[in-house]
Amino acid sequence: TSDGYIITNYHVIEEAVQSSSSNTKIEVFLPNEPDDGIEAEVIGYNIASDLAVIKIEKDGMAVIELGDSDNLSVGQYCVAIGNPGGLEFMGSVSYGIISGLNRKLNIEGRGEMSLIQTDAAINPGNSGGALLNSQGQLIGVNSAKISSTDFEGMGFAIPVNTVVQICNRIIEKKDSPTPYVGISINTQIDESMLKMMGYPAGTVVYSVTEDGPADQAGIQDRDIITKFNGKETSSYALFSSALNECDPGDRVEVEVFRNGKYLTLYLVLGANNI
């Protein structure tokens, strides 16, 4: 925003957030002031979405124009901006196309994320930078790449519509924690597929974080969550909606379908920004 709110990835500031040292700080270097770091305040973050908002005390900042990630097409041109390798290559630009949409990538420590895939070069230091369309509008936040001799040109960005929704909530709630379950969801299996296989409609658990709230409640991989806190969860969107109505520390009833039987489990929600 013009008064200094800045979006980045959580993993970019993670070490600083978790540091117990009073000397640890986050600095922002602006393109027009590359030699002067401006100390930033952490407004909040969402670990599962790998997003964070920081703020510097500066007015009159140029504000990026937002695009619409729901209207992207495979093959359209895009531009990635970032600082690959650090400040030495600050403001580097790479060019490519949208290679895929709604790509499911399991990020260690984050769970499964739904991302934009691009062949625009994304390197360490690009994280938190902008992925733009050909009109210069923000369509995603660069987040990850597959780094292997077996892969080339496999970069990923968080869709801007997801970014806006989560970061607006971070700013509105500031340091208020958001509810955390500790699972990743298999979003490729929808209600129609489940019914075709003879299962009830629900949200399919892909993995469970060890010692997380879901693990402690007894939720397992491949469970189908059919109700969460009394709400039907026949889709991931409905599950997310039911979760977002809760607060950390709430004890919620979760109905799951497992091995042909319905089970009722009780889960105490954790906090998503610890």
Side-chain angles (χ1 to χ4, degrees):
T1 61
S2 61
D3 57 346
Y5 284 94
I6 300 170
I7 295 168
T8 187
N9 289 132
Y10 171 70
H11 76 257
V12 171
I13 65 165
E14 181 175 8
E15 188 173 340
V17 167
Q18 294 184 354
S19 174
S20 58
S21 171
S22 59
N23 294 323
T24 302
K25 63 181 179 180
I26 296 169
E27 289 185 318
V28 173
F29 291 80
L30 300 176
N32 58 342
E33 301 174 31
D35 299 321
D36 300 315
I38 304 171
E39 190 165 349
E41 171 194 5
V42 177
I43 298 301
Y45 45 86
N46 186 299
I47 298 172
S49 301
D50 194 23
L51 289 167
V53 178
I54 61 177
K55 188 178 188 302
I56 59 175
E57 291 304 317
K58 192 172 181 68
D59 291 318
M61 299 275 287
V63 178
I64 197 164
E65 185 179 342
L66 300 179
D68 183 354
S69 52
D70 288 340
N71 287 329
L72 297 179
S73 301
V74 172
Q76 79 176 72
Y77 294 122
C78 62
V79 173
I81 301 178
N83 307 322
L87 294 178
E88 182 181 0
F89 301 107
M90 183 175 179
S92 293
V93 175
S94 57
Y95 183 62
I97 62 168
I98 301 296
S99 305
L101 300 170
N102 301 314
R103 295 299 200 201
K104 310 303 178 191
L105 204 64
N106 207 297
I107 308 294
E108 185 177 357
R110 311 275 183 266
E112 188 180 65
M113 299 177 68
S114 182
L115 303 169
I116 300 166
Q117 181 189 338
T118 177
D119 68 348
I122 292 177
N123 297 292
N126 278 102
S127 291
L131 186 70
L132 311 170
N133 61 20
S134 56
Q135 284 76 49
Q137 298 171 325
L138 183 69
I139 56 173
V141 172
N142 304 326
S143 181
K145 68 174 293 186
I146 295 179
S147 184
S148 166
T149 55
D150 296 328
F151 294 92
E152 186 175 341
M154 298 279 285
F156 298 89
I158 305 167
V160 68
N161 291 6
T162 300
V163 172
V164 169
Q165 179 184 20
I166 291 171
C167 290
N168 277 344
R169 178 168 178 167
I170 289 172
I171 292 170
E172 289 166 5
K173 289 183 170 283
K174 202 166 182 182
D175 291 320
S176 299
T178 54
Y180 173 66
V181 177
I183 58 174
S184 63
I185 301 300
N186 189 337
T187 55
Q188 294 180 313
I189 302 179
D190 59 15
E191 181 178 359
S192 61
M193 291 178 65
L194 286 170
K195 287 184 176 179
M196 187 172 63
M197 294 185 288
Y199 295 116
T203 303
V204 180
V205 178
Y206 180 79
S207 64
V208 180
T209 302
E210 186 176 358
D211 292 328
D215 188 27
Q216 294 173 11
I219 293 175
Q220 300 178 7
D221 299 356
R222 300 185 182 182
D223 278 353
I224 302 171
I225 299 175
T226 53
K227 288 184 181 179
F228 188 89
N229 199 32
K231 303 290 180 66
E232 300 283 346
T233 54
S234 57
S235 68
Y236 176 63
L238 290 175
F239 171 79
S240 295
S241 177
L243 175 62
N244 288 332
E245 291 178 6
C246 303
D247 293 309
D250 286 353
R251 183 174 183 266
V252 299
E253 184 177 292
V254 184
E255 181 185 85
V256 304
F257 184 82
R258 181 194 304 164
N259 298 328
K261 296 180 180 179
Y262 289 94
L263 304 174
T264 299
L265 305 173
Y266 294 91
L267 182 150
V268 178
L269 290 167
N272 202 19
N273 60 341
I274 58 173

PDB file of all heavy atoms in Angstrom, residues 129-166:
ATOM      1  N   GLY A 129       8.604 -11.986  -4.480  1.00  0.00           N
ATOM      2  CA  GLY A 129       8.529 -11.019  -5.571  1.00  0.00           C
ATOM      3  C   GLY A 129       7.279 -11.202  -6.409  1.00  0.00           C
ATOM      4  O   GLY A 129       6.513 -12.155  -6.236  1.00  0.00           O
ATOM      5  N   ALA A 130       7.103 -10.295  -7.340  1.00  0.00           N
ATOM      6  CA  ALA A 130       5.868 -10.253  -8.125  1.00  0.00           C
ATOM      7  C   ALA A 130       5.954 -11.120  -9.372  1.00  0.00           C
ATOM      8  O   ALA A 130       6.971 -11.139 -10.059  1.00  0.00           O
ATOM      9  CB  ALA A 130       5.575  -8.809  -8.526  1.00  0.00           C
ATOM     10  N   LEU A 131       4.867 -11.814  -9.673  1.00  0.00           N
ATOM     11  CA  LEU A 131       4.635 -12.406 -10.987  1.00  0.00           C
ATOM     12  C   LEU A 131       3.566 -11.553 -11.649  1.00  0.00           C
ATOM     13  O   LEU A 131       2.478 -11.364 -11.093  1.00  0.00           O
ATOM     14  CB  LEU A 131       4.174 -13.859 -10.876  1.00  0.00           C
ATOM     15  CG  LEU A 131       4.043 -14.600 -12.208  1.00  0.00           C
ATOM     16  CD1 LEU A 131       5.420 -14.860 -12.820  1.00  0.00           C
ATOM     17  CD2 LEU A 131       3.292 -15.925 -12.035  1.00  0.00           C
ATOM     18  N   LEU A 132       3.894 -10.989 -12.814  1.00  0.00           N
ATOM     19  CA  LEU A 132       3.032 -10.019 -13.481  1.00  0.00           C
ATOM     20  C   LEU A 132       2.510 -10.556 -14.797  1.00  0.00           C
ATOM     21  O   LEU A 132       3.144 -11.405 -15.435  1.00  0.00           O
ATOM     22  CB  LEU A 132       3.825  -8.731 -13.768  1.00  0.00           C
ATOM     23  CG  LEU A 132       4.636  -8.130 -12.628  1.00  0.00           C
ATOM     24  CD1 LEU A 132       5.537  -7.028 -13.149  1.00  0.00           C
ATOM     25  CD2 LEU A 132       3.718  -7.607 -11.553  1.00  0.00           C
ATOM     26  N   ASN A 133       1.373 -10.020 -15.244  1.00  0.00           N
ATOM     27  CA  ASN A 133       0.922 -10.280 -16.601  1.00  0.00           C
ATOM     28  C   ASN A 133       1.539  -9.238 -17.533  1.00  0.00           C
ATOM     29  O   ASN A 133       2.304  -8.364 -17.106  1.00  0.00           O
ATOM     30  CB  ASN A 133      -0.611 -10.308 -16.692  1.00  0.00           C
ATOM     31  CG  ASN A 133      -1.257  -8.989 -16.278  1.00  0.00           C
ATOM     32  OD1 ASN A 133      -0.615  -7.938 -16.265  1.00  0.00           O
ATOM     33  ND2 ASN A 133      -2.541  -9.039 -15.940  1.00  0.00           N
ATOM     34  N   SER A 134       1.202  -9.288 -18.803  1.00  0.00           N
ATOM     35  CA  SER A 134       1.837  -8.392 -19.781  1.00  0.00           C
ATOM     36  C   SER A 134       1.385  -6.942 -19.628  1.00  0.00           C
ATOM     37  O   SER A 134       1.972  -6.037 -20.224  1.00  0.00           O
ATOM     38  CB  SER A 134       1.555  -8.881 -21.209  1.00  0.00           C
ATOM     39  OG  SER A 134       0.161  -8.988 -21.425  1.00  0.00           O
ATOM     40  N   GLN A 135       0.350  -6.699 -18.799  1.00  0.00           N
ATOM     41  CA  GLN A 135      -0.078  -5.322 -18.512  1.00  0.00           C
ATOM     42  C   GLN A 135       0.582  -4.768 -17.234  1.00  0.00           C
ATOM     43  O   GLN A 135       0.286  -3.658 -16.806  1.00  0.00           O
ATOM     44  CB  GLN A 135      -1.602  -5.255 -18.346  1.00  0.00           C
ATOM     45  CG  GLN A 135      -2.381  -5.329 -19.646  1.00  0.00           C
ATOM     46  CD  GLN A 135      -2.425  -6.755 -20.190  1.00  0.00           C
ATOM     47  OE1 GLN A 135      -2.732  -7.691 -19.453  1.00  0.00           O
ATOM     48  NE2 GLN A 135      -2.113  -6.926 -21.463  1.00  0.00           N
ATOM     49  N   GLY A 136       1.482  -5.565 -16.640  1.00  0.00           N
ATOM     50  CA  GLY A 136       2.149  -5.128 -15.422  1.00  0.00           C
ATOM     51  C   GLY A 136       1.310  -5.298 -14.174  1.00  0.00           C
ATOM     52  O   GLY A 136       1.642  -4.753 -13.118  1.00  0.00           O
ATOM     53  N   GLN A 137       0.225  -6.067 -14.265  1.00  0.00           N
ATOM     54  CA  GLN A 137      -0.625  -6.305 -13.098  1.00  0.00           C
ATOM     55  C   GLN A 137      -0.131  -7.524 -12.320  1.00  0.00           C
ATOM     56  O   GLN A 137       0.332  -8.508 -12.912  1.00  0.00           O
ATOM     57  CB  GLN A 137      -2.071  -6.534 -13.537  1.00  0.00           C
ATOM     58  CG  GLN A 137      -2.706  -5.357 -14.244  1.00  0.00           C
ATOM     59  CD  GLN A 137      -4.053  -5.715 -14.851  1.00  0.00           C
ATOM     60  OE1 GLN A 137      -4.268  -6.828 -15.331  1.00  0.00           O
ATOM     61  NE2 GLN A 137      -4.977  -4.773 -14.822  1.00  0.00           N
ATOM     62  N   LEU A 138      -0.255  -7.475 -11.012  1.00  0.00           N
ATOM     63  CA  LEU A 138       0.153  -8.593 -10.167  1.00  0.00           C
ATOM     64  C   LEU A 138      -0.811  -9.762 -10.346  1.00  0.00           C
ATOM     65  O   LEU A 138      -2.018  -9.620 -10.153  1.00  0.00           O
ATOM     66  CB  LEU A 138       0.163  -8.157  -8.703  1.00  0.00           C
ATOM     67  CG  LEU A 138       0.649  -9.205  -7.699  1.00  0.00           C
ATOM     68  CD1 LEU A 138       2.133  -9.468  -7.851  1.00  0.00           C
ATOM     69  CD2 LEU A 138       0.316  -8.781  -6.270  1.00  0.00           C
ATOM     70  N   ILE A 139      -0.243 -10.933 -10.695  1.00  0.00           N
ATOM     71  CA  ILE A 139      -1.073 -12.142 -10.818  1.00  0.00           C
ATOM     72  C   ILE A 139      -0.645 -13.227  -9.841  1.00  0.00           C
ATOM     73  O   ILE A 139      -1.357 -14.210  -9.649  1.00  0.00           O
ATOM     74  CB  ILE A 139      -1.069 -12.705 -12.257  1.00  0.00           C
ATOM     75  CG1 ILE A 139       0.369 -12.996 -12.730  1.00  0.00           C
ATOM     76  CG2 ILE A 139      -1.781 -11.748 -13.207  1.00  0.00           C
ATOM     77  CD1 ILE A 139       0.416 -13.719 -14.075  1.00  0.00           C
ATOM     78  N   GLY A 140       0.516 -13.042  -9.213  1.00  0.00           N
ATOM     79  CA  GLY A 140       0.968 -14.036  -8.248  1.00  0.00           C
ATOM     80  C   GLY A 140       2.177 -13.544  -7.479  1.00  0.00           C
ATOM     81  O   GLY A 140       2.807 -12.549  -7.836  1.00  0.00           O
ATOM     82  N   VAL A 141       2.487 -14.260  -6.396  1.00  0.00           N
ATOM     83  CA  VAL A 141       3.686 -13.981  -5.595  1.00  0.00           C
ATOM     84  C   VAL A 141       4.610 -15.185  -5.719  1.00  0.00           C
ATOM     85  O   VAL A 141       4.244 -16.307  -5.338  1.00  0.00           O
ATOM     86  CB  VAL A 141       3.322 -13.715  -4.123  1.00  0.00           C
ATOM     87  CG1 VAL A 141       4.581 -13.632  -3.261  1.00  0.00           C
ATOM     88  CG2 VAL A 141       2.526 -12.423  -4.002  1.00  0.00           C
ATOM     89  N   ASN A 142       5.803 -14.957  -6.279  1.00  0.00           N
ATOM     90  CA  ASN A 142       6.757 -16.040  -6.493  1.00  0.00           C
ATOM     91  C   ASN A 142       7.071 -16.727  -5.170  1.00  0.00           C
ATOM     92  O   ASN A 142       7.347 -16.079  -4.166  1.00  0.00           O
ATOM     93  CB  ASN A 142       8.048 -15.501  -7.102  1.00  0.00           C
ATOM     94  CG  ASN A 142       7.797 -14.743  -8.394  1.00  0.00           C
ATOM     95  OD1 ASN A 142       6.914 -15.084  -9.161  1.00  0.00           O
ATOM     96  ND2 ASN A 142       8.580 -13.706  -8.625  1.00  0.00           N
ATOM     97  N   SER A 143       7.032 -18.080  -5.194  1.00  0.00           N
ATOM     98  CA  SER A 143       7.126 -18.778  -3.922  1.00  0.00           C
ATOM     99  C   SER A 143       8.087 -19.951  -3.916  1.00  0.00           C
ATOM    100  O   SER A 143       8.750 -20.201  -2.922  1.00  0.00           O
ATOM    101  CB  SER A 143       5.730 -19.273  -3.515  1.00  0.00           C
ATOM    102  OG  SER A 143       5.759 -19.931  -2.274  1.00  0.00           O
ATOM    103  N   ALA A 144       8.175 -20.705  -5.022  1.00  0.00           N
ATOM    104  CA  ALA A 144       8.949 -21.945  -4.989  1.00  0.00           C
ATOM    105  C   ALA A 144       9.394 -22.339  -6.384  1.00  0.00           C
ATOM    106  O   ALA A 144       8.899 -21.826  -7.393  1.00  0.00           O
ATOM    107  CB  ALA A 144       8.103 -23.073  -4.374  1.00  0.00           C
ATOM    108  N   LYS A 145      10.345 -23.271  -6.436  1.00  0.00           N
ATOM    109  CA  LYS A 145      10.749 -23.870  -7.698  1.00  0.00           C
ATOM    110  C   LYS A 145      11.156 -25.312  -7.417  1.00  0.00           C
ATOM    111  O   LYS A 145      11.520 -25.665  -6.291  1.00  0.00           O
ATOM    112  CB  LYS A 145      11.899 -23.112  -8.331  1.00  0.00           C
ATOM    113  CG  LYS A 145      13.215 -23.213  -7.594  1.00  0.00           C
ATOM    114  CD  LYS A 145      14.365 -22.565  -8.351  1.00  0.00           C
ATOM    115  CE  LYS A 145      14.704 -23.304  -9.618  1.00  0.00           C
ATOM    116  NZ  LYS A 145      15.889 -22.789 -10.314  1.00  0.00           N
ATOM    117  N   ILE A 146      11.060 -26.152  -8.436  1.00  0.00           N
ATOM    118  CA  ILE A 146      11.597 -27.502  -8.341  1.00  0.00           C
ATOM    119  C   ILE A 146      13.049 -27.439  -8.787  1.00  0.00           C
ATOM    120  O   ILE A 146      13.338 -27.093  -9.936  1.00  0.00           O
ATOM    121  CB  ILE A 146      10.800 -28.501  -9.189  1.00  0.00           C
ATOM    122  CG1 ILE A 146       9.368 -28.622  -8.644  1.00  0.00           C
ATOM    123  CG2 ILE A 146      11.478 -29.863  -9.199  1.00  0.00           C
ATOM    124  CD1 ILE A 146       8.484 -29.569  -9.423  1.00  0.00           C
ATOM    125  N   SER A 147      13.946 -27.723  -7.878  1.00  0.00           N
ATOM    126  CA  SER A 147      15.370 -27.607  -8.159  1.00  0.00           C
ATOM    127  C   SER A 147      15.968 -29.009  -8.231  1.00  0.00           C
ATOM    128  O   SER A 147      16.143 -29.675  -7.213  1.00  0.00           O
ATOM    129  CB  SER A 147      16.057 -26.789  -7.066  1.00  0.00           C
ATOM    130  OG  SER A 147      17.403 -26.587  -7.359  1.00  0.00           O
ATOM    131  N   SER A 148      16.229 -29.463  -9.443  1.00  0.00           N
ATOM    132  CA  SER A 148      16.753 -30.806  -9.657  1.00  0.00           C
ATOM    133  C   SER A 148      17.321 -30.885 -11.057  1.00  0.00           C
ATOM    134  O   SER A 148      16.887 -30.160 -11.963  1.00  0.00           O
ATOM    135  CB  SER A 148      15.632 -31.847  -9.474  1.00  0.00           C
ATOM    136  OG  SER A 148      16.017 -33.104  -9.972  1.00  0.00           O
ATOM    137  N   THR A 149      18.303 -31.767 -11.252  1.00  0.00           N
ATOM    138  CA  THR A 149      18.857 -31.967 -12.597  1.00  0.00           C
ATOM    139  C   THR A 149      17.824 -32.577 -13.535  1.00  0.00           C
ATOM    140  O   THR A 149      17.980 -32.532 -14.755  1.00  0.00           O
ATOM    141  CB  THR A 149      20.093 -32.879 -12.536  1.00  0.00           C
ATOM    142  OG1 THR A 149      19.733 -34.112 -11.870  1.00  0.00           O
ATOM    143  CG2 THR A 149      21.226 -32.212 -11.774  1.00  0.00           C
ATOM    144  N   ASP A 150      16.762 -33.130 -12.981  1.00  0.00           N
ATOM    145  CA  ASP A 150      15.712 -33.748 -13.803  1.00  0.00           C
ATOM    146  C   ASP A 150      14.657 -32.747 -14.253  1.00  0.00           C
ATOM    147  O   ASP A 150      13.797 -33.080 -15.074  1.00  0.00           O
ATOM    148  CB  ASP A 150      15.022 -34.875 -13.026  1.00  0.00           C
ATOM    149  CG  ASP A 150      15.962 -36.020 -12.696  1.00  0.00           C
ATOM    150  OD1 ASP A 150      16.885 -36.265 -13.497  1.00  0.00           O
ATOM    151  OD2 ASP A 150      15.783 -36.646 -11.635  1.00  0.00           O
ATOM    152  N   PHE A 151      14.691 -31.514 -13.714  1.00  0.00           N
ATOM    153  CA  PHE A 151      13.671 -30.533 -14.043  1.00  0.00           C
ATOM    154  C   PHE A 151      14.320 -29.224 -14.471  1.00  0.00           C
ATOM    155  O   PHE A 151      15.392 -28.868 -14.006  1.00  0.00           O
ATOM    156  CB  PHE A 151      12.762 -30.255 -12.835  1.00  0.00           C
ATOM    157  CG  PHE A 151      11.930 -31.430 -12.404  1.00  0.00           C
ATOM    158  CD1 PHE A 151      12.389 -32.298 -11.433  1.00  0.00           C
ATOM    159  CD2 PHE A 151      10.688 -31.669 -12.968  1.00  0.00           C
ATOM    160  CE1 PHE A 151      11.631 -33.384 -11.025  1.00  0.00           C
ATOM    161  CE2 PHE A 151       9.919 -32.751 -12.579  1.00  0.00           C
ATOM    162  CZ  PHE A 151      10.390 -33.613 -11.605  1.00  0.00           C
ATOM    163  N   GLU A 152      13.629 -28.507 -15.344  1.00  0.00           N
ATOM    164  CA  GLU A 152      14.097 -27.195 -15.758  1.00  0.00           C
ATOM    165  C   GLU A 152      12.885 -26.304 -16.002  1.00  0.00           C
ATOM    166  O   GLU A 152      11.881 -26.738 -16.577  1.00  0.00           O
ATOM    167  CB  GLU A 152      14.926 -27.307 -17.032  1.00  0.00           C
ATOM    168  CG  GLU A 152      15.575 -25.999 -17.461  1.00  0.00           C
ATOM    169  CD  GLU A 152      16.498 -26.175 -18.664  1.00  0.00           C
ATOM    170  OE1 GLU A 152      16.917 -27.313 -18.932  1.00  0.00           O
ATOM    171  OE2 GLU A 152      16.769 -25.166 -19.327  1.00  0.00           O
ATOM    172  N   GLY A 153      12.966 -25.059 -15.564  1.00  0.00           N
ATOM    173  CA  GLY A 153      11.884 -24.116 -15.802  1.00  0.00           C
ATOM    174  C   GLY A 153      10.608 -24.452 -15.073  1.00  0.00           C
ATOM    175  O   GLY A 153       9.515 -24.328 -15.628  1.00  0.00           O
ATOM    176  N   MET A 154      10.732 -24.867 -13.793  1.00  0.00           N
ATOM    177  CA  MET A 154       9.553 -25.238 -12.994  1.00  0.00           C
ATOM    178  C   MET A 154       9.453 -24.298 -11.798  1.00  0.00           C
ATOM    179  O   MET A 154       9.901 -24.603 -10.691  1.00  0.00           O
ATOM    180  CB  MET A 154       9.669 -26.688 -12.522  1.00  0.00           C
ATOM    181  CG  MET A 154       9.722 -27.704 -13.657  1.00  0.00           C
ATOM    182  SD  MET A 154       8.096 -28.091 -14.319  1.00  0.00           S
ATOM    183  CE  MET A 154       7.438 -29.138 -13.038  1.00  0.00           C
ATOM    184  N   GLY A 155       8.924 -23.099 -12.037  1.00  0.00           N
ATOM    185  CA  GLY A 155       8.729 -22.132 -10.974  1.00  0.00           C
ATOM    186  C   GLY A 155       7.258 -22.049 -10.593  1.00  0.00           C
ATOM    187  O   GLY A 155       6.375 -22.384 -11.405  1.00  0.00           O
ATOM    188  N   PHE A 156       6.991 -21.590  -9.365  1.00  0.00           N
ATOM    189  CA  PHE A 156       5.613 -21.563  -8.873  1.00  0.00           C
ATOM    190  C   PHE A 156       5.332 -20.276  -8.109  1.00  0.00           C
ATOM    191  O   PHE A 156       6.215 -19.725  -7.439  1.00  0.00           O
ATOM    192  CB  PHE A 156       5.352 -22.777  -7.969  1.00  0.00           C
ATOM    193  CG  PHE A 156       5.498 -24.089  -8.681  1.00  0.00           C
ATOM    194  CD1 PHE A 156       6.727 -24.721  -8.737  1.00  0.00           C
ATOM    195  CD2 PHE A 156       4.417 -24.672  -9.319  1.00  0.00           C
ATOM    196  CE1 PHE A 156       6.875 -25.929  -9.407  1.00  0.00           C
ATOM    197  CE2 PHE A 156       4.543 -25.877  -9.995  1.00  0.00           C
ATOM    198  CZ  PHE A 156       5.778 -26.508 -10.040  1.00  0.00           C
ATOM    199  N   ALA A 157       4.093 -19.800  -8.222  1.00  0.00           N
ATOM    200  CA  ALA A 157       3.671 -18.564  -7.566  1.00  0.00           C
ATOM    201  C   ALA A 157       2.301 -18.757  -6.931  1.00  0.00           C
ATOM    202  O   ALA A 157       1.457 -19.508  -7.445  1.00  0.00           O
ATOM    203  CB  ALA A 157       3.627 -17.414  -8.573  1.00  0.00           C
ATOM    204  N   ILE A 158       2.080 -18.070  -5.823  1.00  0.00           N
ATOM    205  CA  ILE A 158       0.780 -18.103  -5.151  1.00  0.00           C
ATOM    206  C   ILE A 158      -0.173 -17.177  -5.903  1.00  0.00           C
ATOM    207  O   ILE A 158       0.164 -16.010  -6.136  1.00  0.00           O
ATOM    208  CB  ILE A 158       0.919 -17.638  -3.694  1.00  0.00           C
ATOM    209  CG1 ILE A 158       1.978 -18.458  -2.961  1.00  0.00           C
ATOM    210  CG2 ILE A 158      -0.424 -17.726  -2.961  1.00  0.00           C
ATOM    211  CD1 ILE A 158       2.392 -17.871  -1.623  1.00  0.00           C
ATOM    212  N   PRO A 159      -1.353 -17.650  -6.315  1.00  0.00           N
ATOM    213  CA  PRO A 159      -2.279 -16.811  -7.086  1.00  0.00           C
ATOM    214  C   PRO A 159      -2.661 -15.534  -6.332  1.00  0.00           C
ATOM    215  O   PRO A 159      -2.882 -15.561  -5.116  1.00  0.00           O
ATOM    216  CB  PRO A 159      -3.499 -17.718  -7.286  1.00  0.00           C
ATOM    217  CG  PRO A 159      -2.983 -19.110  -7.109  1.00  0.00           C
ATOM    218  CD  PRO A 159      -1.875 -19.014  -6.100  1.00  0.00           C
ATOM    219  N   VAL A 160      -2.746 -14.425  -7.061  1.00  0.00           N
ATOM    220  CA  VAL A 160      -2.973 -13.128  -6.423  1.00  0.00           C
ATOM    221  C   VAL A 160      -4.304 -13.072  -5.681  1.00  0.00           C
ATOM    222  O   VAL A 160      -4.414 -12.423  -4.639  1.00  0.00           O
ATOM    223  CB  VAL A 160      -2.868 -11.978  -7.449  1.00  0.00           C
ATOM    224  CG1 VAL A 160      -4.011 -12.018  -8.464  1.00  0.00           C
ATOM    225  CG2 VAL A 160      -2.857 -10.629  -6.742  1.00  0.00           C
ATOM    226  N   ASN A 161      -5.340 -13.754  -6.183  1.00  0.00           N
ATOM    227  CA  ASN A 161      -6.628 -13.703  -5.480  1.00  0.00           C
ATOM    228  C   ASN A 161      -6.512 -14.330  -4.089  1.00  0.00           C
ATOM    229  O   ASN A 161      -7.113 -13.853  -3.123  1.00  0.00           O
ATOM    230  CB  ASN A 161      -7.709 -14.411  -6.296  1.00  0.00           C
ATOM    231  CG  ASN A 161      -8.055 -13.660  -7.570  1.00  0.00           C
ATOM    232  OD1 ASN A 161      -7.415 -12.664  -7.908  1.00  0.00           O
ATOM    233  ND2 ASN A 161      -9.045 -14.121  -8.299  1.00  0.00           N
ATOM    234  N   THR A 162      -5.733 -15.403  -3.989  1.00  0.00           N
ATOM    235  CA  THR A 162      -5.462 -16.014  -2.689  1.00  0.00           C
ATOM    236  C   THR A 162      -4.655 -15.060  -1.817  1.00  0.00           C
ATOM    237  O   THR A 162      -4.936 -14.883  -0.625  1.00  0.00           O
ATOM    238  CB  THR A 162      -4.683 -17.336  -2.872  1.00  0.00           C
ATOM    239  OG1 THR A 162      -5.447 -18.236  -3.659  1.00  0.00           O
ATOM    240  CG2 THR A 162      -4.358 -17.973  -1.527  1.00  0.00           C
ATOM    241  N   VAL A 163      -3.645 -14.435  -2.413  1.00  0.00           N
ATOM    242  CA  VAL A 163      -2.775 -13.495  -1.693  1.00  0.00           C
ATOM    243  C   VAL A 163      -3.588 -12.347  -1.097  1.00  0.00           C
ATOM    244  O   VAL A 163      -3.442 -12.007   0.083  1.00  0.00           O
ATOM    245  CB  VAL A 163      -1.685 -12.938  -2.634  1.00  0.00           C
ATOM    246  CG1 VAL A 163      -0.912 -11.812  -1.951  1.00  0.00           C
ATOM    247  CG2 VAL A 163      -0.741 -14.044  -3.079  1.00  0.00           C
ATOM    248  N   VAL A 164      -4.455 -11.743  -1.904  1.00  0.00           N
ATOM    249  CA  VAL A 164      -5.240 -10.597  -1.449  1.00  0.00           C
ATOM    250  C   VAL A 164      -6.155 -10.991  -0.292  1.00  0.00           C
ATOM    251  O   VAL A 164      -6.240 -10.285   0.726  1.00  0.00           O
ATOM    252  CB  VAL A 164      -6.063 -10.010  -2.616  1.00  0.00           C
ATOM    253  CG1 VAL A 164      -7.083  -9.006  -2.103  1.00  0.00           C
ATOM    254  CG2 VAL A 164      -5.136  -9.352  -3.626  1.00  0.00           C
ATOM    255  N   GLN A 165      -6.819 -12.126  -0.426  1.00  0.00           N
ATOM    256  CA  GLN A 165      -7.742 -12.570   0.611  1.00  0.00           C
ATOM    257  C   GLN A 165      -7.012 -12.778   1.938  1.00  0.00           C
ATOM    258  O   GLN A 165      -7.455 -12.304   2.993  1.00  0.00           O
ATOM    259  CB  GLN A 165      -8.426 -13.875   0.183  1.00  0.00           C
ATOM    260  CG  GLN A 165      -9.404 -14.426   1.214  1.00  0.00           C
ATOM    261  CD  GLN A 165      -9.981 -15.771   0.798  1.00  0.00           C
ATOM    262  OE1 GLN A 165      -9.417 -16.468  -0.038  1.00  0.00           O
ATOM    263  NE2 GLN A 165     -11.090 -16.141   1.380  1.00  0.00           N
ATOM    264  N   ILE A 166      -5.894 -13.475   1.892  1.00  0.00           N
ATOM    265  CA  ILE A 166      -5.176 -13.806   3.120  1.00  0.00           C
ATOM    266  C   ILE A 166      -4.496 -12.574   3.705  1.00  0.00           C
ATOM    267  O   ILE A 166      -4.550 -12.329   4.914  1.00  0.00           O
ATOM    268  CB  ILE A 166      -4.158 -14.929   2.853  1.00  0.00           C
ATOM    269  CG1 ILE A 166      -4.914 -16.239   2.574  1.00  0.00           C
ATOM    270  CG2 ILE A 166      -3.187 -15.092   4.024  1.00  0.00           C
ATOM    271  CD1 ILE A 166      -4.062 -17.372   2.091  1.00  0.00           C
TER     272      ILE A 166
END
